[in-house]
Amino acid sequence: MTVTPATARERWIVGGLVLVAVLLRLGHLAGAAQTLFFHNPIIDEQANVNVAIKVATGHGWSGDWEFWKPPLYSYFLGGVFAITGDVDLWLPRVLQALFDGVTVWLTWKVARRLVTARQALIAAGAVALHGTLIYFTGELTSSTLATLLYVASLALLLDAGERPRWWRWAVAGLMLGLSTLCRAETILVVPAALAFAAVRAGAGWPRRAVAAAVVTVGLLVAMSPATIYNYRARGELVLVSTNGGINFYVGTDPRYHGVIGARPGPQWEELSRIPPMLGYTTDTALSRYWSARARERIAADPLGYAVHVARKLGHFAHGYELPSNYDVYRARRTSPVLTALLWTTPVLQFPAGLIMPLALIGVVVAWRRRGVPLVAAFVGVQVVTAAIFFVTARFRAPVVPMLCVLAVAGGAWAYPRLRAWRDARRPAAIAAAVLVAVIVPLNLRAVLDGDRQAYRVALDAEAHHFRGTALLVAYDNRYVAALGELRRARDLVPSAATYLNEAKVLLLLARWDEALDALLAGAALADDDPAQSYLLRDYYTLMWQLGQAIQADPLALTPARRELVEAHGCWRWHDWTCAVPHLERALAGEPAGPGRAAVEAEVARAFVDMAQDMLGQLRYQRAGWAARRVLALRDASPTAHLVVGFLAFRAGRADEARAELARFRALERPPGAFFYQATHPDNFSVGRLGFSMVDAFAALFPDDAAARAAAAEVQALRRAEADRRERDGRKLPAGTYY
């Protein structure tokens, strides 16, 4: 359609819409500032702030690692902190409110090329009043900046298409590059942008080729700082960031809503901590690992994955805003602006429940208009991203302005047909039927009830955990409130981190018995999951603090529990001559009941440490005794089976050794971690004794490919060590286990 110059009246109206948009967002910020997390960022916000502080102080990213996530937003925050000289959490949010004002203006610019002048103003007004966009101005995440850059890229491409000049194509390419540095999935829209440039550059292939080339050059120039940084860090070609692999893996999980909200629970710990146990220590290697795991999952059940993708596409089109870090609808409690402009009912989700269906109609009825296919491509990139990764309000936000433009086109098609009911019943009936068929299923909340509840449980647990932690750290004498929040969190999703934070609060409240219960429960969860084993450091520290605290109160704990705590004073320093009697008395003195299982698990954990200590000192008899004590208490201990099996192999009892080591492999978590750690002695608790253990596996399981590969690696390491010693004029001591 022909674009006429905007009238003064239009410009005044757009200016008013921009002002309204900014004021609404500032009003929302005033309400959001009353919440705890506004001043104590958590999860992604906290990560962004932490990197921004490094940027502001001149350290930037580490320099030894690639960018794990697109860096532009963190550098924007860092620039704000550097200018203000302080970690000011208000100013970035105010700037984001202004960014949204610019987004309103850009939406109007885009819409004027696709719909009528009046309809363009309606689209801009829809963006100004969109509750989800208002909400994200209060989050220190990339959503608002990404939305601005995404719409700016589209606006510049459409402008270059109307008035082709090489510099306009270059600016559009630069903006696409900046958008990619903010949200890496923008790279997927580049083919559509190049095709648009080639078609709209003018007659003749030279012009078309030049236009596409200039867009490409602009894109690469904008992206080059991140690409060069990544290459210098690890010598590998990474265009923007390395978090695509783990996001791909999460997106293939049918329970992905629970995995997204699993922090601080065991699922997220598995995602972040398991791969290094298998030797994947760089971000690029981690990305490849998770990508391979995702492809394996798809290959194992392609039909199930297809159903899963279809389900996610339905989530994308549905009006309900699925959360990631926070539930957007709960922000209405402190924000009168959101109370009016963002709400959910069983049959209507406002505003997305109206915009999404009308946008689907709009893209069909307006497809032949010049520029609409490019708008559809920009929306389609986010749809594809949702299908590959996951759907949440935050990742749907960048296409909201495009959806508003398409929704206006859809509404413009339906409205006159519905008004003409008396004069043309058939067209009106068709329009009404189309609207009902599209709007109703995309607004019924029952369609998403299962997934919505799964999100809600995970997010509630996460919110209670972080609220309790913030109350513990940020406020004086708020321990009772912190305790209540942490207990709500662990009742919803039990996790070692929550139990240990609960124990910290109970120690501060001098509730020794409850503190010990929380410590034992947290240690049991951490011990069962290698991904959470790092938390045992905090556990040992807290047990030592409990031991110090109860010395002045002889009646603080029962005798058996006191023995258990006192054992930690010896266990901490690996003094087993002191620790074992305390452990035995704790076990003998604890009566049958709910508490005995926790005491048995704690004693077993101590004897596991003892078995590893004794094995590392080559005191095989004591190691075997400790390992068998563990198995008498807890047969599911992989370490105890490994020690017993290895010692049986040394003693020539092949059948017993084979059975114990097979049991170890069945219990090992993650599978295959032992062979990596055994061939990297610095990562193995008993050092180079792991080489001899690999020999045992290779001898007892000759058909095991992993054991053969590990044995070959061990032999290579032994040859390298022997050659080094020969060069140094030293001999390997006789009888060594190396």
Side-chain angles (χ1 to χ4, degrees):
M1 61 181 296
T2 304
V3 181
T4 59
T7 65
R9 180 172 177 270
E10 282 183 79
R11 296 182 183 279
W12 275 104
I13 293 174
V14 172
L17 290 174
V18 170
L19 180 61
V20 167
V22 173
L23 292 177
L24 285 174
R25 283 149 178 80
L26 294 177
H28 164 64
L29 293 181
Q34 302 171 29
T35 64
L36 183 63
F37 294 147
F38 187 92
H39 307 283
N40 298 275
I42 62 171
I43 317 172
D44 291 329
E45 288 186 287
Q46 183 182 42
N48 290 334
V49 169
N50 289 343
V51 175
I53 291 172
K54 292 182 180 180
V55 171
T57 54
H59 296 90
W61 229 273
S62 164
D64 297 327
W65 302 91
E66 308 94 329
F67 289 127
W68 186 77
K69 60 192 296 186
L72 184 62
Y73 185 75
S74 293
Y75 275 81
F76 156 70
L77 277 183
V80 173
F81 294 165
I83 292 171
T84 60
D86 190 15
V87 183
D88 184 347
L89 301 183
W90 257 103
L91 183 57
R93 292 175 166 115
V94 172
L95 291 176
Q96 288 178 171
L98 298 177
F99 289 167
D100 258 11
V102 179
T103 299
V104 170
W105 178 74
L106 289 170
T107 303
W108 172 70
K109 295 285 288 184
V110 168
R112 286 200 86 258
R113 300 183 184 281
L114 306 176
V115 294
T116 66
R118 178 179 295 180
Q119 293 165 6
L121 291 173
I122 294 173
V127 173
L129 301 175
H130 201 287
T132 307
L133 296 183
I134 293 173
Y135 167 80
F136 282 117
T137 57
E139 273 204 350
L140 296 174
T141 60
S142 62
S143 300
T144 299
L145 180 60
T147 303
L148 170 63
L149 296 175
Y150 207 55
V151 180
S153 301
L154 175 61
L156 288 169
L157 282 169
L158 291 172
D159 183 61
E162 290 292 332
R163 298 177 292 172
R165 295 288 187 276
W166 71 267
W167 63 268
R168 287 195 173 95
W169 294 118
V171 173
L174 285 169
M175 189 59 67
L176 271 176
L178 289 176
S179 184
T180 303
L181 291 180
C182 193
R183 286 283 181 86
E185 64 267 20
T186 305
I187 196 74
L188 297 176
V189 86
V190 169
L194 296 180
F196 179 80
V199 169
R200 301 297 299 277
W205 283 107
R207 283 188 177 182
R208 296 181 177 183
V210 167
V214 170
V215 171
T216 303
V217 170
L219 173 78
L220 295 177
V221 167
M223 289 172 50
S224 60
T227 307
I228 293 170
Y229 176 93
N230 290 331
Y231 186 80
R232 291 178 63 185
R234 287 285 174 176
E236 297 185 71
L237 183 62
V238 177
L239 290 179
V240 178
S241 59
T242 60
N243 62 341
I246 193 169
N247 287 338
F248 182 29
Y249 176 77
V250 170
T252 61
D253 192 332
R255 304 166 293 105
Y256 77 102
H257 43 69
V259 177
I260 293 171
R263 301 171 302 270
Q267 288 175 317
W268 184 256
E269 299 298 345
E270 177 186 357
L271 294 179
S272 60
R273 296 185 180 275
I274 288 296
M277 298 180 183
L278 301 173
Y280 300 92
T281 55
T282 68
D283 286 343
T284 308
L286 288 171
S287 185
R288 286 196 294 263
Y289 169 81
W290 287 118
S291 295
R293 289 281 303 277
R295 290 192 295 270
E296 290 170 6
R297 179 181 279 166
I298 295 170
D301 186 13
L303 180 59
Y305 179 69
V307 172
H308 177 52
V309 168
R311 181 169 153 226
K312 288 195 288 183
L313 293 177
H315 288 180
F316 188 93
H318 198 276
Y320 188 84
E321 299 286 10
L322 290 171
S324 52
N325 288 350
Y326 308 98
D327 187 342
V328 296
Y329 296 108
R330 294 202 170 175
R332 299 171 72 246
R333 298 173 180 175
T334 57
S335 174
V337 174
L338 293 187
T339 301
L341 298 176
L342 178 67
W343 36 271
T344 173
T345 71
V347 295
L348 178 62
Q349 319 304 318
F350 184 83
L354 295 178
I355 291 173
M356 281 288 182
L358 290 174
L360 289 174
I361 296 172
V363 76
V364 174
V365 300
W367 180 258
R368 293 182 179 276
R369 297 180 189 177
R370 182 180 293 182
V372 169
L374 182 63
V375 176
F378 270 72
V379 175
V381 163
Q382 297 301 323
V383 174
V384 170
T385 302
I388 296 174
F389 302 121
F390 34 78
V391 185
T392 65
R394 192 172 75 187
F395 296 103
R396 200 164 64 174
V399 294
V400 165
M402 294 81 161
L403 291 173
C404 288
V405 174
L406 294 173
V408 167
W413 172 85
Y415 181 68
R417 286 166 174 78
L418 292 175
R419 288 196 62 186
W421 177 265
R422 292 183 180 179
D423 299 331
R425 293 178 180 271
R426 187 175 177 185
I430 293 173
V434 170
L435 286 172
V436 170
V438 177
I439 291 177
V440 171
L442 297 184
N443 276 277
L444 290 177
R445 205 165 60 191
V447 174
L448 290 181
D449 265 352
D451 293 325
R452 194 170 60 87
Q453 292 304 321
Y455 271 105
R456 179 62 58 84
V457 169
L459 285 167
D460 281 357
E462 184 177 77
H464 287 307
H465 172 92
F466 285 111
R467 193 174 292 115
T469 304
L471 287 168
L472 175 62
V473 173
Y475 292 89
D476 293 332
N477 303 319
R478 297 293 300 275
Y479 302 139
V480 174
L483 180 62
E485 295 289 347
L486 292 167
R487 284 184 166 170
R488 292 186 193 98
R490 53 97 158 156
D491 287 343
L492 289 168
V493 180
S495 74
T498 304
Y499 271 114
L500 295 181
N501 280 332
E502 180 185 345
K504 291 178 185 177
V505 179
L506 290 166
L507 286 173
L508 291 169
L509 294 172
R511 292 158 65 172
W512 315 125
D513 209 57
E514 293 175 78
L516 181 57
D517 286 337
L519 284 170
L520 295 180
L525 287 173
D527 198 43
D528 287 341
D529 187 352
Q532 297 190 80
S533 60
Y534 74 101
L535 292 169
L536 290 174
R537 293 193 299 267
D538 289 342
Y539 162 72
Y540 292 134
T541 300
L542 291 170
M543 283 294 284
W544 177 79
Q545 291 175 1
L546 177 59
Q548 295 294 106
I550 66 172
Q551 285 182 1
D553 186 359
L555 301 178
L557 299 171
T558 64
R561 291 176 145 232
R562 193 177 189 90
E563 292 284 357
L564 192 63
V565 174
E566 290 177 355
H568 268 271
C570 309
W571 176 3
R572 180 183 178 88
W573 304 107
H574 303 275
D575 184 353
W576 299 110
T577 304
C578 167
V580 169
H582 285 299
L583 294 170
E584 297 287 9
R585 286 195 291 269
L587 197 59
E590 183 67 22
R596 183 167 179 82
V599 172
E600 287 181 350
E602 184 67 5
V603 173
R605 188 177 304 108
F607 282 128
V608 166
D609 281 2
M610 179 181 176
Q612 291 176 317
D613 273 0
M614 296 298 103
L615 202 60
Q617 298 172 28
L618 307 186
R619 297 171 65 180
Y620 298 129
Q621 186 174 357
R622 294 290 288 168
W625 176 85
R628 293 187 185 280
R629 291 288 286 123
V630 174
L631 295 179
L633 295 167
R634 192 180 186 195
D635 185 61
S637 170
T639 303
H641 284 290
L642 175 63
V643 172
V644 171
F646 172 67
L647 295 178
F649 174 77
R650 281 182 50 86
R653 301 191 300 273
D655 291 341
E656 180 188 353
R658 191 175 291 107
E660 293 291 341
L661 294 179
R663 178 74 171 144
F664 163 75
R665 292 295 299 277
L667 294 170
E668 180 188 24
R669 293 180 62 195
F674 166 76
F675 287 132
Y676 168 73
Q677 295 185 4
T679 52
H680 294 75
D682 293 341
N683 298 323
F684 194 60
S685 59
V686 291
R688 291 177 175 176
L689 188 58
F691 289 1
S692 298
M693 292 182 173
V694 170
D695 292 339
F697 275 100
L700 294 170
F701 304 97
D703 297 330
D704 189 319
R708 290 200 308 271
E713 188 169 352
V714 164
Q715 291 304 319
L717 290 169
R718 281 175 169 149
R719 285 194 297 271
E721 176 68 6
D723 291 344
R724 185 176 64 80
R725 285 177 174 272
E726 185 176 349
R727 287 195 303 271
D728 295 344
R730 294 181 294 152
K731 293 184 178 180
L732 206 61
T736 182
Y737 56 81
Y738 179 70

